[in-house]
Each structure stands twice: as C-alpha cells, then as structure tokens.
Amino acid sequence: MQTDLFVSNSSHSLKLMQKYISLYHINSSTLILHGSIAKNQELIDTDLWRNIHIIEYNSNHMVVIYKIIKIIKNINLNKLYLSHMENIYERIIASYVQKKYTLFDEGITTIEYNIKGLDFLFNNVYSNSLLKKIYLNILCILFNVSFINQSKMISLIDKFITSFDNIKFNKVLTEKITIYQSCINKEILYKEIYFIGQPYYLQNSKISENEYYHIILKIQEYYKSNGFKFIYFKHPREKEINTQIQQRSISINFEEFILNSIKTPEIISSFTSTAFINLHSVKHTNKFEYWKVNNFLDKEDEIIYEYFDLLNIKGHIINEK
C-alpha cells in the first residue's frame, strides 16, 4: 500500500501537517518526527497516522540519517511532505527521494524566506562554512545520495503550506491554512493590553536582564498613561521578574490561552513573538501592536518587523542607549 510521508522537526509544522491531513482527508500517512520536538509526543494526533517514527536528537548525524533512510526504503512512497529545508536531514531526504514534495512552514523563519526569497533559503543551507559543505558531501557519498543543486530543489517544490498571512514565493504555489480557530465571537476587554513576554536577555548578549525589564516597565507606563490595564504574560523560561510589572503566568501556550478564553483583550502586543503572529493570522477583532528596541536588534528582528509593516501592524519604537 502506498503511503504519504510527512517529516517534521517543529511543533508548528506538526500542527500544520495534522491540520492539512484533516482538511484533505489524507489516509495511510507516515510521520517521521525528529530533533528536539521528538520529546513532545503529546502533540501527535495518533488517529491521523498509519505509522509514527520518533527519532530523538543525536549529535551523530550518520545514525539519524541511517534510521531515516531505512524507514523510507521500507515504505511504498506516494507523496513527500517536508518542514524545514535548512535541516540537514530533510535536505538529504529530498535529495534521496528526488521527487516533487510539499513544503510546510516551520515557524517564524518563514518570514525571513518571504522577504529574501527561496534562493536565500537554499543558499543558507550549509553555505557559510567550507568544512560543513565537505561534511555534507561525505554524508551523501556514504549513503549513496546524489545531492541535488539549488535550482533543482526549488523546482521540486510542489506547494508551500503556511499559516501566516501574505506569504508568497515566485513560481511556487502557496496555500494558507489556519491552525487555530476564529477569535471574532469573544467579548472584548476594552482598555486591556496583553503583552507576550519574550526575554531577549536569555538569547541576546546585547541586552541584560535589568535592561529588558526596564524596557517592559516603559511599555507598561505608556499603556497605563493611556488608561489601559497592562498585563505581562511571562515566557516559560522566565522565573522571578520585576514585581513592579503587572504579570501573569499560564501553563499552556499563549495562543491556546487566548483561543480558550471567553474574553479577549482590546490589544495584544509583543516584540517578535511567534504567538503574536499566529494570533494575527486568524480571524480576530483584537488590535495588534508591536514594539521595537532599535539598539538591541539583530538582522532576523529587522526582517520580522518588515513583515509586521507589510501586514500594517501598528508599531512603537524605543531608543535605548
């Protein structure tokens, strides 16, 4: 029996794939879940899959590639669905199979590809290091894979599936699928603002913990001075934070919290949170506003803010020394 093969390494792409399967009533599908997401098996809707293969992270690439190719050899492959072409395993899978495939967005990096184009995506795969290029070629030789070039990779994309608005690629059909339900029938909490925490100090050496919360206090003061009740939703990685900040902790992700709530705030705000983008992509009556701190931006942030402007989201700028 033929089977469709779905390969995912992120929670976002997994949710999108399962929505796609439900929407198009696809039967006899096989899932390969690999990388750190393999630990979150509770995200898998087992009713949708004929076979499920979990491949947890392993620093030895050869072990992972061997397991994946062994799976592919033992199935009668119909269609191929991938989630992340910057991932070495999925790039090798596409080279090994060498047939048309559907590519799913795996989260916020899709915005970067939308701004820079698919050529940037494929140039970015192991393009910055000669040693990495050599290593990739060695892996292909070991597993008898003919590594196909950039133009061939792009020509094999049958369709790009995304949950984001205004995503378009030249010569590639793009389809938007909404992962989350509509927000339009909820009671609006006027003069309330929910701010999605995004502790940059944990990943960006340009900003300290004290500087980050100083900025949050400034944002809180801005909304309070305009008559809003400000609530800061802590990121799961945040522990104790400045007690002057009106805050709240939740045990589920922010999107699910909003969608499961009877009431919703007038404004949802953040820096560059994926949750912010996901909620904007569904039908909503909320207002969305982003905040940009010029002195602490990196190139990825600039691209995301460019995308926000494309969506006509209201922006605020803070200039910190």
Side-chain angles (χ1 to χ4, degrees):
M1 180 185 292
Q2 286 195 318
T3 184
D4 291 346
L5 177 62
F6 291 77
V7 185
S8 172
N9 77 331
S10 73
S11 59
H12 182 85
S13 63
L14 177 60
K15 289 177 183 177
L16 199 54
M17 286 176 173
Q18 293 185 153
K19 184 74 173 183
Y20 182 85
I21 288 172
S22 298
L23 187 64
Y24 288 103
H25 307 289
I26 298 173
N27 298 316
S28 300
S29 298
T30 295
L31 170 67
I32 296 179
L33 197 64
H34 66 95
S36 57
I37 183 61
K39 296 179 180 178
N40 299 335
Q41 297 179 30
E42 69 278 0
L43 297 175
I44 301 172
D45 185 345
T46 55
D47 292 336
L48 294 176
W49 304 101
R50 180 184 177 193
N51 295 297
I52 299 170
H53 301 275
I54 308 297
I55 303 176
E56 295 192 3
Y57 173 79
N58 190 316
S59 58
N60 188 331
H61 290 320
M62 287 186 286
V63 171
V64 177
I65 294 169
Y66 172 78
K67 290 180 178 178
I68 290 174
I69 290 181
K70 185 178 179 181
I71 292 167
I72 296 173
K73 282 183 175 179
N74 289 326
I75 63 174
N76 184 6
L77 181 62
N78 180 34
K79 292 184 179 180
L80 178 64
Y81 301 85
L82 301 175
S83 70
H84 197 335
M85 287 312 302
E86 279 192 82
N87 180 273
I88 182 173
Y89 308 129
E90 299 198 25
R91 186 76 187 266
I92 288 178
I93 289 169
S95 297
Y96 180 79
V97 172
Q98 293 205 30
K99 65 185 298 182
K100 288 281 187 179
Y101 62 93
T102 297
L103 184 61
F104 286 77
D105 86 46
E106 58 79 42
I108 207 163
T109 53
T110 298
I111 295 168
E112 188 170 18
Y113 306 147
N114 186 58
I115 299 296
K116 293 187 175 182
L118 284 173
D119 287 344
F120 170 79
L121 188 163
F122 291 103
N123 280 326
N124 202 38
V125 178
Y126 275 57
S127 62
N128 299 322
S129 167
L130 178 59
L131 287 176
K132 286 182 177 179
K133 285 181 179 179
I134 294 171
Y135 179 61
L136 185 57
N137 285 325
I138 291 172
L139 287 174
C140 289
I141 292 169
L142 287 173
F143 290 97
N144 195 27
V145 174
S146 299
F147 196 70
I148 53 182
N149 62 30
Q150 170 186 307
S151 59
K152 179 70 171 178
M153 290 292 295
I154 294 175
S155 69
L156 288 175
I157 300 175
D158 181 55
K159 187 189 295 185
F160 185 82
I161 308 295
T162 180
S163 63
F164 298 147
D165 293 316
N166 287 23
I167 301 294
K168 296 179 181 178
F169 298 116
N170 289 334
K171 300 179 181 179
V172 175
L173 178 65
T174 303
E175 179 180 352
K176 179 191 171 183
I177 293 178
T178 302
I179 300 176
Y180 302 102
Q181 64 193 36
S182 170
C183 286
I184 58 175
N185 294 319
K186 296 182 182 292
E187 180 184 344
I188 298 293
L189 297 169
Y190 290 102
K191 288 295 181 179
E192 283 202 18
I193 158 78
Y194 289 178
F195 193 95
I196 308 168
Q198 198 174 352
Y200 276 116
Y201 59 86
L202 295 175
Q203 61 191 42
N204 188 337
S205 59
K206 295 179 183 178
I207 184 171
S208 69
E209 183 175 346
N210 286 337
E211 287 171 326
Y212 174 80
Y213 291 116
H214 174 70
I215 292 167
I216 296 299
L217 283 169
K218 277 190 172 182
I219 296 171
Q220 176 177 268
E221 181 55 34
Y222 168 83
Y223 285 112
K224 279 190 169 183
S225 67
N226 284 280
F228 280 83
K229 179 181 178 182
F230 178 92
I231 303 175
Y232 177 89
F233 282 77
K234 291 170 62 177
H235 190 277
R237 288 185 293 167
E238 289 180 275
K239 297 179 181 178
E240 298 298 324
I241 71 173
N242 192 313
T243 55
Q244 293 178 281
I245 299 170
Q246 291 180 268
Q247 59 195 268
R248 181 169 179 179
S249 298
I250 52 177
S251 58
I252 57 177
N253 68 46
F254 187 78
E255 299 100 309
E256 290 173 351
F257 171 78
I258 290 293
L259 295 169
N260 293 333
S261 299
I262 298 173
K263 301 177 181 180
T264 188
E266 180 177 347
I267 297 175
I268 295 174
S269 186
S270 182
F271 295 111
T272 59
S273 169
T274 305
F276 180 81
I277 302 169
N278 286 337
L279 287 169
H280 186 274
S281 69
V282 305
K283 292 181 179 179
H284 59 269
T285 49
N286 310 85
K287 297 175 184 176
F288 287 80
E289 297 182 2
Y290 71 77
W291 287 80
K292 177 165 67 172
V293 186
N294 276 338
N295 304 64
F296 302 128
L297 294 179
D298 56 29
K299 290 182 180 179
E300 181 180 302
D301 291 328
E302 290 283 11
I303 290 169
I304 294 169
Y305 287 125
E306 187 177 341
Y307 176 69
F308 287 170
D309 291 337
L310 184 67
L311 298 178
N312 295 315
I313 297 174
K314 180 179 179 180
H316 303 270
I317 299 175
I318 294 179
N319 291 302
E320 290 286 305
K321 294 182 179 180

